[in-house]
Amino acid sequence: MNKEIKKYNNFICQIINEDFIQNKDLSFHTRFPPEPNGYLHIGHAKSICLNFELAKIYKGKCNLRFDDTNPLKENIKYINAIQYDIHWLGYKWNKNPFYSSQYFSKLYKYAQELIQKGLAYVDQLTKEQIREYRGDLKNPGINSPYRNRTVQENIELFEKMRNGEFKEGEVCLRAKINMNSSFLIMRDPVLYRIIFSEHHQTKKQWCIYPMYDFAHCLSDSIEGITHSLCTLEFQDNKRLYNWILKNTSVTKYPKQYEFSRLNLEFSLLSKRKIKILIDKNIIKGWNDPRISTLSGLRRKGYTPSSIKEFCRKIGVTKQNNLIEFSMLEHCIRTEMNKTAIRTMAILEPIKIFLYNLNENHEEKLIVPNHPNNPELGTHEIIFTNIIYIERSDFKEKYDKKYKRLKIGEEIRLRHAYVIKAEKIDKDEHDNIISIICYCDTKTLGKKPKNKKNPSVIHWIAIKNSFPAEFRLYNQLFKIKNPEQEENFLSYINPESLIIKKGFIENNLAKKIQKEIHIKNQIIFFQFERIGYFCIDNIDSKKNKLIFNRTVSLRDSSKLKK
Ligand code: ATP
Ligand code: MG
């Protein structure tokens, strides 16, 4: 146990360690409480890892609880997607998922209890008036004229609210705390409002819904949560959290602790804003690889282990900061570097004609799948007289500094021979048909005689090529912190997705065609000299293979510096 705490050490562990010293029989219990109003993102992953890992370390439990108190924004499809993502990360919640809505009857009774104690009242001010009367940090609030109704009156009005005898927005239930509190949250916060909308769990049973602050602490208490972990913006809400627990007849008193939320460079981590991107057709849904939702990252090729490693690396503190995107990329790159099979792909082909080889020349070459790990095996490629190379690996105009293929110069084909460019074959519109080259057939695995080692480029024999689409993703925003910008839509990077049509090796295509429909499998590769890619298992079909670039081979943010 100690070893694991060390690995995951943070200020919350220190608090828990103290709690265990005070009470060695503590049955440690956390929860992850998403609102089912969108898909999970990498920020949620931070909270998921924290809650579930702590439960593991301290031999406790972690509940999944849907905080479903606003039927207007929630949807069963989000409930399913959230469960899928948490499972995918490899976590198992305690029992079945819980729902705040399953406590609606209990919460209603707690509200009645507050009314009985003279600590809550039914208010008839409009939403705007409530805001106005609340005051601000400089000005004290003003009591609502409905604040001093009798208990009996409030009990009856609350019942009428519940029975649907008021219109939406006409009345609400408020806690009676202190309109002069220096904490705005304590100025008679709203506890219940009327919403006439069918709820995905309770259907038409209720037309009044508890506010987050009322439902959250009581749900934590009902479930026996001991440590309720949330992000820093709920620091002030803790007063209300504790006030509600203190003034109702609950028997369990969870404690709230706050940590800083994850902010990630170039990313929007607000469901509301992500929804805007989707509604405006800027991205193609919640699983677009350009956004940092878990489904988007998964589609881009990120594995659960890389995301967990990232969450471990960033740690848990009370400092707000912006995490470099390259840190997330580093985690997947390190993992893929160890395990990805190396293969060759051509994204923008140009033809090479090796004039000194026979047109029937067909040579089988066995190449390793990984440069340092023989256990990953080998695969076979074919070498023939017509091959594709990358357009960017040839320069027509002589350039002394250019180290790849140019007329009169030699280059080595990866795993194969040294070739020399001699002539360009063009059509009448000056387009290159092919580059005519000489193949030095004595150079397989050997240095060319009396010469320095030429640079190496990748290639595919036309006969061994299978068409494929490559989707190259760049950052969706041109600025590092779009979350801070009111008009974040004006910073969209027009080059966030670049599509290339090229080729992969035939045998690889065959292998993928067999495996493409295996659910939950991320099929990924290193396309040599290009990057790490995974198969897009949403848009790909057996005869239309599409690859998503997961990450480049090197950290380009460091290269530019
Ligand atoms: P959003 O702003 O994306 O709508 P939210 O906080 O409203 O996020 P919830 O579904 O309420 O989303 O979040 C569930 C849990 O995940 C909460 O405990 C919340 O504190 C945590 N969480 C959400 N975003 C982040 C983040 N960026 N970093 C860390 N934890 C987060
Ligand atoms: Mg929320």
Side-chain angles (χ1 to χ4, degrees):
M1 178 154 130
N2 276 339
K3 218 167 106 191
E4 277 189 63
I5 297 176
K6 255 192 198 149
K7 196 174 118 191
Y8 208 76
N9 206 356
N10 57 48
F11 75 97
I12 296 174
C13 289
Q14 283 158 22
I15 293 170
I16 304 168
N17 292 345
E18 283 294 316
D19 292 342
F20 269 100
I21 292 171
Q22 302 291 323
N23 172 13
K24 64 178 180 8
D25 297 323
L26 175 74
S27 49
F28 182 76
H29 208 147
T30 55
R31 87 285 169 266
F32 173 66
E35 279 179 70
N37 59 358
Y39 281 54
L40 297 181
H41 52 59
I42 185 83
H44 292 116
K46 174 176 178 175
S47 173
I48 293 169
C49 289
L50 176 66
N51 281 294
F52 281 93
E53 292 294 335
L54 288 178
K56 233 191 263 172
I57 293 171
Y58 291 99
K59 305 206 180 337
K61 293 174 187 153
C62 179
N63 290 1
L64 165 63
R65 183 200 316 136
F66 290 104
D67 225 324
D68 55 344
T69 53
N70 184 0
L72 294 175
K73 292 195 170 161
E74 297 159 10
N75 194 312
I76 200 92
K77 80 172 178 200
Y78 299 132
I79 291 185
N80 294 334
I82 290 171
Q83 296 189 49
Y84 186 94
D85 284 348
I86 300 174
H87 266 146
W88 178 73
L89 280 177
Y91 293 117
K92 283 203 182 84
W93 49 82
N94 172 40
K95 299 185 186 156
N96 289 324
F98 294 92
Y99 294 83
S100 295
S101 58
Q102 74 194 68
Y103 312 130
F104 280 173
S105 300
K106 284 186 183 166
L107 300 183
Y108 182 71
K109 289 208 178 89
Y110 284 126
Q112 285 177 318
E113 192 186 342
L114 287 179
I115 297 175
Q116 287 289 0
K117 289 181 180 167
L119 293 174
Y121 60 98
V122 173
D123 198 1
Q124 258 160 297
L125 292 181
T126 61
K127 213 173 156 184
E128 292 70 34
Q129 285 171 322
I130 290 180
R131 197 178 307 132
E132 218 174 283
Y133 279 48
R134 178 164 291 143
D136 51 36
L137 288 173
K138 285 189 197 133
N139 302 296
I142 302 165
N143 285 350
S144 161
Y146 306 100
R147 199 174 195 258
N148 289 323
R149 294 185 202 274
T150 64
V151 166
Q152 195 49 38
E153 231 180 318
N154 280 317
I155 287 282
E156 282 164 21
L157 287 172
F158 189 45
E159 195 153 326
K160 280 189 173 172
M161 264 176 81
R162 194 231 144 115
N163 292 338
E165 292 177 39
F166 290 108
K167 288 201 278 282
E168 254 177 51
E170 202 178 346
V171 292
C172 64
L173 183 75
R174 294 179 71 179
K176 193 171 176 178
I177 310 181
N178 177 7
M179 289 304 289
N180 290 325
S181 173
S182 45
F183 296 92
L184 295 177
I185 186 94
M186 300 302 268
R187 293 188 187 172
D188 291 9
V190 174
L191 302 180
Y192 265 93
R193 79 275 210 216
I194 298 171
I195 302 174
F196 287 104
S197 171
E198 192 167 320
H199 187 283
H200 47 96
Q201 303 299 312
T202 57
K203 310 293 172 207
K204 290 188 173 141
Q205 226 179 318
W206 297 89
C207 64
I208 54 169
Y209 290 91
M211 300 300 287
Y212 167 85
D213 285 309
F214 189 66
H216 199 80
C217 54
L218 291 169
S219 305
D220 278 350
S221 168
I222 293 167
E223 288 174 14
I225 302 304
T226 53
H227 294 72
S228 179
L229 311 176
C230 62
T231 38
L232 282 176
E233 63 277 19
F234 291 98
Q235 223 155 7
D236 286 355
N237 302 54
K238 180 152 68 184
R239 286 173 190 270
L240 181 55
Y241 186 103
N242 292 336
W243 183 92
I244 294 169
L245 293 180
K246 194 177 98 200
N247 290 299
T248 46
S249 57
V250 296
T251 50
K252 290 181 176 157
Y253 297 89
K255 286 229 170 80
Q256 178 183 306
Y257 299 99
E258 309 87 25
F259 61 95
S260 61
R261 61 190 294 125
L262 167 67
N263 303 305
L264 183 64
E265 272 181 4
F266 306 105
S267 304
L268 282 184
L269 296 184
S270 147
K271 287 176 276 189
R272 188 181 60 81
K273 291 181 185 166
I274 294 175
K275 242 189 224 138
I276 296 176
L277 297 177
I278 296 171
D279 292 343
K280 292 199 174 294
N281 247 329
I282 293 167
I283 54 169
K284 297 187 189 96
W286 288 97
N287 62 358
D288 192 301
R290 289 167 292 181
I291 52 170
S292 298
T293 51
L294 293 181
S295 43
L297 290 169
R298 174 166 60 236
R299 192 168 175 193
K300 202 172 172 188
Y302 280 76
T303 57
S305 45
S306 64
I307 290 173
K308 285 188 197 166
E309 172 63 6
F310 170 73
C311 291
R312 198 190 60 73
K313 265 188 185 322
I314 57 173
V316 176
T317 68
K318 274 183 175 284
Q319 262 78 54
N320 267 318
N321 52 9
L322 185 64
I323 302 289
E324 285 180 38
F325 197 85
S326 59
M327 193 154 159
L328 180 61
E329 291 192 322
H330 172 80
C331 293
I332 188 66
R333 185 185 292 116
T334 309
E335 192 175 308
M336 287 192 166
N337 182 34
K338 282 193 204 127
T339 51
I341 284 183
R342 273 55 170 174
T343 164
M344 295 193 277
I346 301 291
L347 271 51
E348 256 183 289
I350 185 168
K351 250 186 228 172
I352 296 276
F353 179 67
L354 300 166
Y355 69 87
N356 61 322
L357 296 186
N358 190 303
E359 68 179 276
N360 301 321
H361 185 100
E362 188 173 313
E363 192 176 347
K364 288 186 177 133
L365 301 169
I366 304 295
V367 302
N369 284 336
H370 193 283
N372 320 315
N373 186 359
E375 275 174 27
L376 287 179
T378 58
H379 68 273
E380 188 182 286
I381 55 174
I382 299 167
F383 183 66
T384 63
N385 69 329
I386 309 176
I387 62 173
Y388 288 127
I389 65 162
E390 210 68 68
R391 185 163 279 271
S392 58
D393 280 336
F394 174 71
K395 206 163 201 182
E396 195 176 347
K397 242 172 92 188
Y398 190 82
D399 175 349
K400 206 176 162 196
K401 283 197 195 129
Y402 189 74
K403 291 278 178 277
R404 286 164 276 163
L405 195 62
K406 53 193 171 191
I407 299 296
E409 296 285 327
E410 287 185 334
I411 193 95
R412 176 176 292 279
L413 298 173
R414 175 90 172 131
H415 301 303
Y417 299 90
V418 172
I419 61 168
K420 184 176 180 183
E422 294 191 352
K423 242 175 39 194
I424 305 173
D425 183 14
K426 288 188 173 177
D427 66 13
E428 68 267 34
H429 306 293
D430 212 34
N431 297 317
I432 298 176
I433 300 170
S434 65
I435 304 153
I436 311 217
C437 298
Y438 172 78
C439 176
D440 185 346
T441 53
K442 293 184 204 75
T443 53
L444 187 66
K446 286 189 211 118
K447 261 181 155 185
K449 267 189 193 148
N450 312 325
K451 282 184 200 158
K452 61 177 186 348
N453 256 349
S455 333
V456 180
I457 63 171
H458 58 281
W459 58 278
I460 296 183
I462 293 195
K463 212 171 164 184
N464 189 31
S465 66
F466 190 90
E469 179 178 312
F470 303 90
R471 297 182 179 170
L472 310 180
Y473 298 103
N474 298 308
Q475 297 297 1
L476 183 59
F477 292 96
K478 290 186 283 190
I479 48 168
K480 278 194 180 166
N481 200 352
E483 196 92 65
Q484 261 184 353
E485 300 295 329
E486 197 63 45
N487 57 342
F488 58 91
L489 291 176
S490 44
Y491 298 97
I492 299 285
N493 174 10
E495 300 197 329
S496 62
L497 169 61
I498 293 170
I499 295 179
K500 303 270 182 196
K501 307 247 173 174
F503 299 95
I504 60 167
E505 294 170 9
N506 228 337
N507 54 355
L508 183 75
K510 282 196 197 118
K511 188 166 170 270
I512 293 170
Q513 283 168 332
K514 274 192 216 136
E515 294 177 10
I516 196 169
H517 296 301
I518 301 178
K519 222 181 155 204
N520 281 341
Q521 181 167 290
I522 301 177
I523 309 177
F524 60 88
F525 309 93
Q526 186 200 96
F527 290 140
E528 296 204 47
R529 297 182 63 235
I530 301 175
Y532 294 101
F533 284 74
C534 76
I535 188 93
D536 184 296
N537 42 23
I538 292 175
D539 289 348
S540 291
K541 302 206 171 49
K542 274 195 171 181
N543 51 5
K544 186 173 189 241
L545 299 182
I546 299 170
F547 294 86
N548 293 326
R549 181 169 67 193
T550 311
V551 68
S552 56
L553 292 181
R554 273 169 287 277
D555 181 355
S556 54
S557 70
K558 297 258 155 25
L559 288 179
K560 270 183 218 145
K561 276 176 200 163

